[in-house]
Amino acid sequence: MRILVIEDESRIQAFVRRGLEAEGYGVVTAGDGYDGLSLARSGDWDLVVLDLLLPGVNGLRVLQELHREHPQLPVVILSARGDLRTKLKGFELGACDYIAKPFALDELLARVRVQLRRAAPPEEDDHVLHAGHVVLDLARRQARVGAVVTDLSDREFRLLHHLLVHVGEVISRERLLADVWGYDFDPGSNVVDVCVRRLRQKLGPDAHIETVRHAGYRLAAA
Ligand code: CA
């Protein structure tokens, strides 16, 4: 994990650096807004700690530029300006947290940890397919939507698997019938609709299994 600290007071800069390094983070510091912004742009950072009253480019300006270019990058403001207006401005410009000076190092470290956890991508592995809110565990044959985990019947599992592999595509009933049920099924059968209904009941509305009129079904990508 790499953290950029933009802070002009050398005492605080060193204090924050030592604290973060003791937690195992890689830390680079910048002492003014110009350096901070150019380092922030050129590097691959997991988080930025940003002072507001900076020589060169003002911290709020740095934040604004940075957030426009890297909206996913968490920026924690660390500032002596603890007034509500400045705080709100910081959040409006994209900061994810705001710590007023003077501050306790432990609090800074705790807040940094929270932001890094939040920003971490979901764990990927070969046994999981996911799209939008739906996660399908291939080994356990379970679906998860948000915090709710559901066991699936064999047919439900295969239907959901098919929708996930073809996420965003409209898949006709005929194709689902052929691919999931096999060609020996009566094409006039409503088993697909029944199974989709059951899946929707089990997974809830967040799963976004859409009916496309006269065409088939589609699992929305988000
Ligand atoms: Ca300052």
Side-chain angles (χ1 to χ4, degrees):
M1 290 286 187
R2 301 186 68 227
I3 298 179
L4 175 64
V5 177
I6 308 175
E7 165 67 66
D8 62 318
E9 284 170 69
S10 55
R11 196 176 47 85
I12 296 178
Q13 194 190 86
F15 177 62
V16 171
R17 172 202 277 276
R18 274 200 306 274
L20 291 170
E21 283 178 344
E23 294 285 294
Y25 302 120
V27 179
V28 172
T29 54
D32 66 59
Y34 285 119
D35 283 356
L37 193 54
S38 82
L39 272 168
R41 282 175 165 151
S42 60
D44 185 15
W45 307 103
D46 295 296
L47 186 139
V48 174
V49 175
L50 177 67
D51 182 21
L52 292 187
L53 297 173
L54 289 167
V57 185
N58 169 285
L60 286 173
R61 183 70 197 282
V62 172
L63 174 63
Q64 189 173 23
E65 296 290 313
L66 206 51
H67 188 65
R68 198 170 51 214
E69 292 165 32
H70 303 280
Q72 305 300 326
L73 178 64
V75 177
V76 174
I77 292 176
L78 181 62
S79 177
R81 296 186 58 180
D83 62 288
L84 184 62
R85 236 184 105 202
T86 309
K87 276 188 186 175
L88 293 179
K89 188 76 189 159
F91 286 121
E92 189 191 310
L93 292 177
C96 62
D97 204 351
Y98 198 113
I99 303 169
K101 294 175 185 169
F103 63 99
L105 185 59
D106 282 344
E107 185 182 359
L108 172 74
L109 297 176
R111 286 170 182 254
V112 163
R113 259 196 307 275
V114 167
Q115 294 308 328
L116 288 173
R117 241 193 338 256
R118 197 169 284 169
E123 284 178 33
E124 300 279 346
D125 67 63
D126 298 341
H127 307 294
V128 168
L129 280 177
H130 56 86
H133 299 284
V134 184
V135 179
L136 183 63
D137 185 322
L138 305 182
R140 294 197 179 90
R141 300 206 154 213
Q142 283 174 331
R144 181 159 56 78
V145 179
V148 181
V149 177
T150 314
D151 288 314
L152 300 175
S153 72
D154 182 53
R155 210 66 90 174
E156 290 160 0
F157 171 80
R158 286 165 60 190
L159 176 61
L160 184 58
H161 184 268
H162 200 89
L163 292 171
L164 274 163
V165 168
H166 300 281
V167 62
E169 294 174 33
V170 181
I171 307 173
S172 67
R173 284 179 179 74
E174 292 71 26
R175 185 166 156 208
L176 287 170
L177 204 56
D179 290 352
V180 177
W181 275 263
Y183 54 83
D184 53 337
F185 253 84
D186 169 12
S189 160
N190 69 342
V191 288
V192 175
D193 309 270
V194 172
C195 193
V196 166
R197 201 150 57 226
R198 258 201 330 266
L199 260 185
R200 280 179 177 149
Q201 274 163 8
K202 282 192 170 184
L203 303 179
D206 284 346
H208 298 303
I209 301 173
E210 301 168 346
T211 304
V212 182
R213 259 168 77 87
H214 306 307
Y217 293 104
R218 171 174 54 205
L219 181 69

